Amino acid sequence: MTIVVTGGAGFIGSNLVKAFNDNGYDDILVVDNLSSGNKFLNLVDCEIKDYIDKNDFLALLKSNQLSRIEAIFHQGACSDTMQHDGRYMMKNNYEYTVQLFEYAQSLKIPFLYASSAAVYGGSTQFFENRTIEKPLNVYGYSKFLFDQMLRRKITEGLKAPVVGFRYFNVYGDREQHKGRMASVAYHHFNQFQQEGQVKLFGRYAGYSAGCQMRDFVSVEDVVQVNLHFLDTSLLQSGVYNCGTGVAQTFNDVALTAVNTLREHQGLPALSLSQAVDAGVIHYVDFPDALKGKYQSYTQADLTNLRHAGYQKKFYSVQEGVARYLKRLLM
């Protein structure tokens, strides 16, 4: 039986494919859009059954030409929070997801999809409840709207399990194609290598320079959460936060990156104040384009995820970012 991974050449999707391979499974159909051709590099060390372009895949669904599918992991989406074309975003993220959901229901197979912590927007609380979901951009709204549809469908009764994962700030392997949308850890790696310093936003919205806080989660952990829910004996339909449950500052990410790379150079670790004084961590003015659209604090409430049986410990920034950057240095 085949597992479909949409966005399978992308960041989280390709990490899922590699994890399936590591577990001895290669009957995988990757669906993606390789207009950005360098994404293929994410699959070079992976074994898959076949690749289908996203538009061709939708045509095959509509004509019912696919068979023997075991589950769909829907990771494909436009994740650019600065994309202001609402029609494109809703068609690519919301309508596409609805089509795949309906197809999975018709086959009575599990459907696991990528939601986002962006649905919480400017909220100061982060648990899966309609009353605190306040997206700040059309990307967040596209994810929010499908989550809402799923809640209605659960009430009406599903034919097969459906699980959404609200990813917080994910970083890790196979994100090099994402450009400016890559994680701050990846940008810090490149900045330090090229300029000998890393850059962070300065003071904003009551937060001191570099002290805005996010729930930074390693893609290694994200993959483990997805695999946990593939077991249909454990799979409980609903929307779940996927983060560490601990907010850490951007300073934490920057300092971990700096000290990991300094260690590689045979140099001693620095404290935050030492790194700032030395100009190794450099603060820039907060950009006007992000004002009013930026989450200065996120922290996943993992209550529902833990109740669903996922009990593994998540990597901290200091652990996960160091592991990631050491692999980039290989």
Side-chain angles (χ1 to χ4, degrees):
M1 296 287 281
T2 300
I3 289 177
V4 173
V5 181
T6 73
F11 175 29
I12 296 174
S14 62
N15 276 285
L16 270 171
V17 173
K18 187 63 170 66
F20 283 128
N21 288 171
D22 291 343
N23 287 325
Y25 196 88
D26 62 6
D27 191 353
I28 302 165
L29 172 60
V30 167
V31 178
D32 212 312
N33 175 358
L34 287 183
S35 295
S36 298
N38 64 346
K39 282 199 296 185
F40 83 90
L41 293 169
N42 287 334
L43 294 174
V44 167
D45 63 342
C46 297
E47 302 298 329
I48 65 173
K49 177 182 179 180
D50 203 356
Y51 169 88
I52 299 180
D53 181 80
K54 169 191 169 182
N55 292 327
D56 295 335
F57 180 64
L58 288 177
L60 290 174
L61 291 188
K62 291 176 182 177
S63 59
N64 199 28
Q65 294 184 48
L66 295 172
S67 61
R68 295 181 56 78
I69 295 176
E70 179 181 350
I72 297 175
F73 285 79
H74 178 40
Q75 305 297 318
C78 175
S79 59
D80 187 349
T81 57
M82 297 301 290
Q83 170 61 256
H84 301 303
D85 186 340
R87 291 183 66 187
Y88 169 79
M89 188 69 77
M90 296 305 290
K91 186 174 184 65
N92 197 63
N93 288 7
Y94 175 68
E95 293 178 24
Y96 183 34
T97 306
V98 170
Q99 288 177 283
L100 295 185
F101 161 80
E102 291 176 343
Y103 180 74
Q105 288 291 291
S106 70
L107 292 184
K108 299 182 180 179
I109 59 172
F111 180 63
L112 301 93
Y113 72 93
S115 183
S116 172
V119 301
Y120 296 116
S123 181
T124 57
Q125 297 175 290
F126 304 92
F127 58 94
E128 304 90 332
N129 189 287
R130 171 67 179 87
T131 61
I132 61 168
E133 295 161 4
K134 306 171 184 177
L136 293 172
N137 50 51
V138 71
Y139 165 71
Y141 182 72
S142 70
K143 296 296 188 178
F144 162 83
L145 194 61
F146 184 79
D147 289 352
Q148 284 297 92
M149 193 199 84
L150 173 59
R151 285 166 168 160
R152 291 194 300 273
K153 294 294 184 180
I154 290 174
T155 300
E156 295 168 4
L158 295 171
K159 298 177 182 178
V162 182
V163 177
F165 301 109
R166 286 186 173 165
Y167 298 140
F168 279 67
N169 279 71
V170 187
Y171 62 87
D173 304 317
R174 304 169 197 269
E175 63 168 319
Q176 70 282 342
H177 65 282
K178 291 174 66 67
R180 65 180 178 81
M181 293 305 296
S183 71
V184 290
Y186 183 71
H187 286 304
H188 289 166
F189 175 84
N190 289 317
Q191 288 169 1
F192 189 87
Q193 297 283 74
Q194 297 165 11
E195 305 171 25
Q197 67 173 198
V198 301
K199 298 175 182 178
L200 292 176
F201 291 149
R203 182 183 301 273
Y204 175 70
Y207 290 85
S208 299
C211 288
Q212 295 89 357
M213 303 180 75
R214 293 281 184 88
D215 191 329
F216 297 100
V217 58
S218 169
V219 73
E220 294 180 79
D221 286 320
V222 167
V223 165
Q224 291 305 309
V225 171
N226 273 268
L227 295 181
H228 168 81
F229 279 91
L230 180 59
D231 186 339
T232 54
S233 68
L234 299 172
L235 206 157
Q236 302 174 49
S237 294
V239 182
Y240 296 90
N241 284 337
C242 188
T244 68
V246 178
Q248 292 192 248
T249 66
F250 282 82
N251 280 328
D252 286 338
V253 180
L255 190 61
T256 300
V258 165
N259 284 332
T260 300
L261 295 170
R262 282 176 62 85
E263 178 186 351
H264 182 70
Q265 297 174 342
L267 298 173
L270 299 175
S271 67
L272 178 61
S273 60
Q274 288 172 330
V276 173
D277 291 343
V280 179
I281 293 179
H282 176 67
Y283 300 113
V284 300
D285 291 339
F286 194 90
D288 290 339
L290 289 180
K291 290 180 179 177
K293 303 175 182 178
Y294 186 80
Q295 290 174 295
S296 294
Y297 174 87
T298 65
Q299 179 173 284
D301 184 314
L302 300 186
T303 301
N304 289 337
L305 183 69
R306 296 308 193 192
H307 284 168
Y310 190 81
Q311 300 300 328
K312 292 183 180 178
K313 178 181 179 292
F314 289 84
Y315 288 117
S316 68
V317 160
Q318 288 78 4
E319 295 165 337
V321 170
R323 287 170 58 87
Y324 171 37
L325 300 192
K326 286 176 182 177
R327 287 193 295 272
L328 287 179
L329 287 165
M330 291 179 177

